[in-house]
């Protein structure tokens, strides 16, 4: 991204004031593109300019500039002091916004108090008390700086400005005093492409796919997705983009896109865990422990020895739940703590920490630090990049809270915790973003920037133009007189047109879109744009299909005996004749949405790794000849080959670790077998079972030193050899191989977290590892005859159209034909 301005007349000695921090970054990039490595002029946002200029002019000032969070807290205290008993965040936000309007639009408090209306007079008393607090403690806030600079305007150099749609009166007053030049925007004649979607999900999904396709085709092009309601739709946008870019559970700094929106600190899990730990400390001091808080802390991964005592702590949680109490005393817990000695030490240490009932903020913060140290918070865990940045941000925010000690008296621990939580909720945090050309921004952030491609979402009449919105504590006539935004229809119209022009200038071609519905609420398009037709991609087409009625006991005989998915057909036919017949209907099933790699994908990866491995290592002798390092390197190489078509993600990293462990466990077992040679892997064979023809695939076929040939089937779920030998064969794939191929044994290779093993049946017991349990199967030759009879009967029943609904005990589990079946379950 860059700004649309010509910097040829600017020198390194100039100062450029831009409307926001993102424009500052864009200016620096634009400068580098136009001027190369020449020295960068001073480029600052409006607040940065005020702050830096004041510090240059008054380096030894006795007054301290307070942060927005500190200012917010002092305003709230003034409201409480003057009798406002209940202050929710919305009221406080409105008060702060109205005060900012007064300062930026040069509205005197006396103008409001003279109205004689109690609401306005109350606001004035709050603000006057706040101003008196600042005066008595030698404090300044951001609103005080313009007036101080105006007094010394003669000493200031003339800056350039860029990106301001409309200067506020106080900005105009200061800039007119010192003089300024506007950094002219370049001439552009942008075009737009307007699209309509049925739902906001369709709209965001289309934008995500568009951005991904563009990025693949032009990886160096800068792409903007602008969402006017980014705050409200942040989670939906993040979820959809994560799925499209396969970025789920990937660190923020590694994502393929960047959402330029931070969240309050206490919205992050690490900070919520930290606050829960401190809450539990307070409850321990009062000997009234909340069950929910206790269990949340004890199972937290951020406290010390979480891994070592994981199982014991889970058992302790169950014991606490068995109390069946919302709150309990520490004495009820003591007798159960021997199972978690480290937790016991930490809890007793917390209780032993004596503290005064009431202390100042800075004293409480020191005690909180001590509590976190006792719990070993984040000291016994490798933090992710985001978690590391979060904890550092907490440390900075928490130190700023110390400043409140000078304004109030002593408070108790519950009040100190409440203040800390409220303080953290005001601190917005965004982890360091990825260096990606795909940026998702809010409307205000995007204005004044230029990208190679841009898409603006949510172009509804709720965005442009916005609704009339007069400030709550400023009369409408005064608001309109002082040009407060959105206080009159004329101001709204001008602002909407300016905003639209800025968005239309984001790129040479900008896509504007809106959705007809969002969260089941209907939406209308912005009147500033014309939308002609709905995007075809989101229209759903339905096709009528003629229905046919059939008796469920018997259907027409099968004419074409060459079928697909023959193994499952015979399996279902033996379990329930109707379930087998349902395959003839060629119905489609749809996989449920799944985050990460699903079970089928995990199974395919295991198959591929073993296929690649045993295509290279074809004898047990070759396997035994590998050193440990060579074996590990070869397995990792085959895993990388199997995973190469999957996009990078946290799931892929976890899958590498999981598969590596499983393959190593299996190779240890394979080394202990009798000598073998791998004849084939993933061999495709044609099978004929009583006239029913289909193709299937052998995972692996070995020849033993005694000449026996063994067919193996890889399974990532649990396996039971006895399922081959029931009246209805539950797992017929290997028995089908046994009657179709020259073989003297079949076996499952089970590969899952619970067990890695080889289970099977063979003519010669020495051809397979010794079986741990007996099964109901007959001797090999006799069992092969039984399989042939059972499978032939199932094949003939399927071909004859037998479709009676008589399921066995397990047939209805995971059945895909529920909507067709009429059996009562």
């Amino acid at each position: 991204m860059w700004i649309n301005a010509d910097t040829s007349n600017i020198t390194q000695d100039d100062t450029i004031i831009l409307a926001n921090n993102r424009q500052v970054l864009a200016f620096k990039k634009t400068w580098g593109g136009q001027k190369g490595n020449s020295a960068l002029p001073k480029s600052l946002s409006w607040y940065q300019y005020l702050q830096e200029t004041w510090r240059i002019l008054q380096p030894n000032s006795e007054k301290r500039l307070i942060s927005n969070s500190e200012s917010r807290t002092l305003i709230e205290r003034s409201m409480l002091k003057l009798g406002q008993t209940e202050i929710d965040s919305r009221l406080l936000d409105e008060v702060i916004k109205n005060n900012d309007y007064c300062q930026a639009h040069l509205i005197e408090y006396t103008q409001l108090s003279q109205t004689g209306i109690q609401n306005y007079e109350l606001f004035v008393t709050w603000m006057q008390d706040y101003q008196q607090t600042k005066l008595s403690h030698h404090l300044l806030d951001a609103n005080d700086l313009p007036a101080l600079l105006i007094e010394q305007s003669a000493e200031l150099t003339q800056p350039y400005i860029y990106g301001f749609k409309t200067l506020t009166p106080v900005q105009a007053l200061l800039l007119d005093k010192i003089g300024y030049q506007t950094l002219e925007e370049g001439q552009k004649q942008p075009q737009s492409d307007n699209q309509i979607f049925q739902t906001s999900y369709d709209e965001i999904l289309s934008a995500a796919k568009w951005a991904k396709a563009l990025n693949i085709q032009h990886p160096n092009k800068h792409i903007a997705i602008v969402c006017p309601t980014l705050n409200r739709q942040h989670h939906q946008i993040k979820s959809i983009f994560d799925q499209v870019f396969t970025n789920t559970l990937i660190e923020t700094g590694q994502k393929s896109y960047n959402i330029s929106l931070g969240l309050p600190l206490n919205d992050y899990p690490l900070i919520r865990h930290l606050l829960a730990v401190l809450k539990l400390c307070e409850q321990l001091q009062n000997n009234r422990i909340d069950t929910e808080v206790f269990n949340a802390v004890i199972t937290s991964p951020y406290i010390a020895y979480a891994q070592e005592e994981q199982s014991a702590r889970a058992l302790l949680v169950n014991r606490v739940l068995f109390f069946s109490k919302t709150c309990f005393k520490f004495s009820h817990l003591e007798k159960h703590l021997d199972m978690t000695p480290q937790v016991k030490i930490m809890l007793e240490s917390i209780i032993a920490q004596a503290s005064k009932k009431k202390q100042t903020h800075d004293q409480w913060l020191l005690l909180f630090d001590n509590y976190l140290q006792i719990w070993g918070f984040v000291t016994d865990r490798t933090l992710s990049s985001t978690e590391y940045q979060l904890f550092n941000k907490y440390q900075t925010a928490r130190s700023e809270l110390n400043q409140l000690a000078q304004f109030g008296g002593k408070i108790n621990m519950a009040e100190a915790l409440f203040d800390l939580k409220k303080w953290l909720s005001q601190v917005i945090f965004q982890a360091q973003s990825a260096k990606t050309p795909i940026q998702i921004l809010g409307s205000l952030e995007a204005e004044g920037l230029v990208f190679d491609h841009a898409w603006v979402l949510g172009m509804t009449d709720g965005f442009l133009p916005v609704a009339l919105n007069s400030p709550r504590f400023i009369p409408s006539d005064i608001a309109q007189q002082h040009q407060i935004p959105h206080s009159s229809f004329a101001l709204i119209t001008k602002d909407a047109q300016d905003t639209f022009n800025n968005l239309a200038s984001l790129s040479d071609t900008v896509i504007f879109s809106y959705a007809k519905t969002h969260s089941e609420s209907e939406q209308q398009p912005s009147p500033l744009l014309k939308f002609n037709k709905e995007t075809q991609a989101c229209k759903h087409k339905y096709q009528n299909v003629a229905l046919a009625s059939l008796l469920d006991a018997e259907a027409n005989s099968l004419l074409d005996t060459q079928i697909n998915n023959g193994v499952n057909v015979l399996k279902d036919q033996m379990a329930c004749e109707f379930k087998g017949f349902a395959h003839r209907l060629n119905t489609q099933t749809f996989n449920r949405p799944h985050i990460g790699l699903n079970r089928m994908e995990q199974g395919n990866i295991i198959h591929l790794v073993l296929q690649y491995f045993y295509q290279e290592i074809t004898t047990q002798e070759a396997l035994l000849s590998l050193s440990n390092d060579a074996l590990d390197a070869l397995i990792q190489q085959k895993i990388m080959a199997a995973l190469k078509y999957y996009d990078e993600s946290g799931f892929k990293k976890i899958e590498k670790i999981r598969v590596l462990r499983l393959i190593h466990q299996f190779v240890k077992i394979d080394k202990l077998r009798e000598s073998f040679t791998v004849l084939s892997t993933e061999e495709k064979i044609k099978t004929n079972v009583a006239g029913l023809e289909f193709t299937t695939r052998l995972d692996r076929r070995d020849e033993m030193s005694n000449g026996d040939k063994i067919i193996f089937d890889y399974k990532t779920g649990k396996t039971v050899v006895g399922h081959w030998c029931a009246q209805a064969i539950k797992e017929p794939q290997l028995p089908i191989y046994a009657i179709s191929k020259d073989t003297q044994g079949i076996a499952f290779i089970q590969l899952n977290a619970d067990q890695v093993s080889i289970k099977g049946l063979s003519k010669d017991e020495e051809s397979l590892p010794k079986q741990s349990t007996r099964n109901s199967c007959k001797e090999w030759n006799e069992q092969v005859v039984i399989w042939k009879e059972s499978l032939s009967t199932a094949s003939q029943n399927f071909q004859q159209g037998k479709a009676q609904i008589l399921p066995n005990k397990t047939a209805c589990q995971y059945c895909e034909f529920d909507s067709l079946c009429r059996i009562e379950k």
Side-chain angles (χ1 to χ4, degrees), residues 163 165 185 446-449 497-506:
K165 282 195 295 188
E185 297 185 11
E447 291 183 47
L449 304 180
Q497 192 61 55
D498 289 343
T499 298
F500 175 73
N501 292 340
N502 285 339
L503 294 176
S505 299
L506 286 171

Side-chain angles (χ1 to χ4, degrees), residues 68-84:
N68 290 336
S69 295
E70 198 172 345
S71 171
R72 182 186 181 91
T73 302
L74 294 181
I75 290 174
E76 183 179 18
R77 290 192 172 189
S78 290
M79 295 169 67
L80 292 169
K81 174 182 173 183
L82 294 170
Q84 185 68 27

Side-chain angles (χ1 to χ4, degrees), residues 285-423:
Q285 294 292 346
N286 296 325
N287 199 19
R288 182 178 171 80
I289 304 168
D290 182 279
T291 298
E292 186 175 345
V293 172
F294 179 82
N295 289 344
V297 172
I298 295 307
T299 55
S300 171
Y302 297 106
I303 64 175
Y305 305 102
Q307 288 293 326
E308 290 86 338
E309 291 188 345
Q310 184 177 17
S311 299
R313 291 180 186 184
L315 184 58
L316 180 60
V317 166
N318 288 333
R319 294 285 169 84
V320 170
L321 291 173
F322 191 70
F323 294 165
S324 298
K325 294 182 178 180
T326 305
C327 297
F328 59 90
K329 294 183 180 295
F330 183 71
S331 58
H332 296 158
L333 184 69
E334 274 186 294
K335 62 182 178 181
H336 302 295
L337 291 178
D338 289 338
M339 68 178 76
T340 54
Q342 295 299 334
V343 168
K344 182 178 181 181
I345 292 170
M346 291 186 284
L347 292 174
E348 291 175 344
S349 299
I350 295 295
I351 293 172
Q353 289 286 312
S355 66
K356 297 178 182 179
K357 292 292 183 182
K358 290 198 171 186
Q359 302 181 110
T360 58
H361 280 91
D362 53 341
Q363 291 171 325
W364 281 120
L365 288 172
L366 287 173
L367 184 61
F368 292 166
D369 288 347
N370 192 31
Y371 284 153
L372 293 175
Q373 189 173 3
I374 290 172
W375 284 104
F377 194 80
V378 302
T379 60
D380 194 26
R381 169 187 168 97
T382 301
L383 297 181
S384 67
S385 172
T386 298
E387 290 172 331
Y388 180 78
Q389 294 176 57
L390 263 172
F391 194 66
N392 284 341
K393 187 68 174 180
Y394 162 76
Q395 299 279 32
T396 303
R398 157 244 178 272
S399 63
E400 291 176 354
L401 187 58
N402 276 325
Q403 302 290 352
L404 295 182
Q406 63 179 302
F407 302 119
K410 297 180 179 180
I411 56 175
N412 61 35
M413 187 174 178
E415 292 170 324
L417 266 177
F418 179 78
D419 285 345
L420 175 62
K421 184 176 180 179
K422 187 164 60 175
W423 187 271

